[in-house]
Amino acid sequence: NAGVTQTPKFQVLKTGQSMTLQCAQDMNHEYMSWYRQDPGMGLRLIHYSVGAGITDQGEVPNGYNVSRSTTEDFPLRLLSAAPSQTSVYFCASSPGQTYNEQFFGPGTRLTVL
Amino acid sequence: AQSVTQPDIHITVSEGASLELRCNYSYGATPYLFWYVQSPGQGLQLLLKYFSGDTLVQGIKGFEAEFKRSQSSFNLRKPSVHWSDAAEYFCAVGSGGYNKLIFGAGTRLAVHP
């Protein structure tokens, strides 16, 4: 049972490049989410999904796309990277739709030059 | 709008000393409250949570927190800190269902030997 896995661990992009951050969980959790962590600001919710085929925006969705074709995977896409997207990105999963514990992945540190 | 404030950005304590990390929230209804810990280079791990009932909740690693509705606070405490407790601590409040969380900015704890 690997829990929540994220790839890559580190990534450097140039402004305007696109990329996908991968997130997978093997706990059969319905709920998955993406957060970004910036110094002095805690974690902020980007997008979330309550099940396969269902996604919605969080607090800071601009510049990011998501899809949820399977229960296990929840990739985050940056279509045209900007320096403001330099951050540490965390994926999390949780069972059900009540306030259960969210299990976090180890994070992806992204730098946009 | 819901919000979480952690007034202390950095705290330094001596090993064996007691610890209290402050958290204040703004939320209209009965809040769902959480404390997470993040060790360097790691994802977040749930320490404890409050949904309802007894206002003093026990968590892992010897931590506890007390919910005080009159003060809109959910402070985290530990009677005797260990060097391994050095980490960043985040308070969070559930917002809008579906496990959406609003995080505070975090408190970084340093432990002196």
Side-chain angles (χ1 to χ4, degrees):
Chain A
N1 192 335
V4 179
T5 58
Q6 293 182 238
T7 56
K9 293 188 184 300
F10 302 94
Q11 183 71 48
V12 178
L13 292 179
K14 295 181 179 179
T15 297
Q17 287 184 316
S18 63
M19 80 159 297
T20 299
L21 307 185
Q22 301 292 343
C23 174
Q25 53 94 5
D26 60 0
M27 298 174 283
N28 201 32
H29 286 170
E30 294 181 42
Y31 183 89
M32 297 185 74
S33 55
W34 276 102
Y35 294 87
R36 60 177 289 172
Q37 182 181 26
D38 301 293
M41 303 187 73
L43 279 75
R44 292 179 292 168
L45 182 64
I46 304 171
H47 285 286
Y48 66 98
S49 168
V50 300
I54 306 170
T55 63
D56 204 348
Q57 297 180 350
E59 183 183 356
V60 288
N62 293 339
Y64 308 95
N65 281 349
V66 292
S67 60
R68 182 103 179 265
S69 57
T70 67
T71 300
E72 294 77 21
D73 300 300
F74 191 44
L76 178 72
R77 298 182 185 85
L78 286 71
L79 298 179
S80 179
S84 61
Q85 294 178 303
T86 294
S87 187
V88 181
Y89 291 85
F90 289 99
C91 178
S93 75
S94 178
Q97 295 183 1
T98 56
Y99 286 109
N100 291 306
E101 174 181 357
Q102 294 199 37
F103 294 82
F104 284 80
T108 294
R109 183 174 295 276
L110 175 67
T111 301
V112 182
L113 302 176
Chain B
Q2 298 93 342
S3 65
V4 176
T5 302
Q6 294 180 246
D8 304 304
I9 298 174
H10 290 100
I11 284 184
T12 301
V13 301
S14 298
E15 190 169 18
S18 63
L19 172 69
E20 182 169 27
L21 302 183
R22 296 183 291 163
C23 172
N24 294 98
Y25 66 89
S26 172
Y27 191 73
T30 300
Y32 297 87
L33 295 161
F34 305 80
W35 275 100
Y36 281 85
V37 61
Q38 183 182 30
S39 298
Q42 303 296 314
L44 279 71
Q45 180 185 21
L46 180 69
L47 283 175
L48 47 79
K49 61 186 178 184
Y50 171 79
F51 286 1
S52 64
D54 193 347
T55 57
L56 184 63
V57 293
Q58 302 297 321
I60 63 172
K61 305 185 180 185
F63 285 92
E64 66 178 26
E66 186 171 13
F67 170 61
K68 294 185 177 180
R69 183 186 299 275
S70 62
Q71 299 178 19
S72 296
S73 69
F74 188 56
N75 294 348
L76 182 72
R77 301 195 294 248
K78 187 170 185 178
S80 178
V81 171
H82 188 262
W83 64 266
S84 60
D85 293 323
E88 191 157 19
Y89 292 80
F90 293 94
C91 181
V93 63
S95 170
Y98 301 116
N99 287 301
K100 294 167 65 176
L101 296 179
I102 294 177
F103 284 85
T107 297
R108 186 170 297 277
L109 174 67
V111 181
H112 279 179

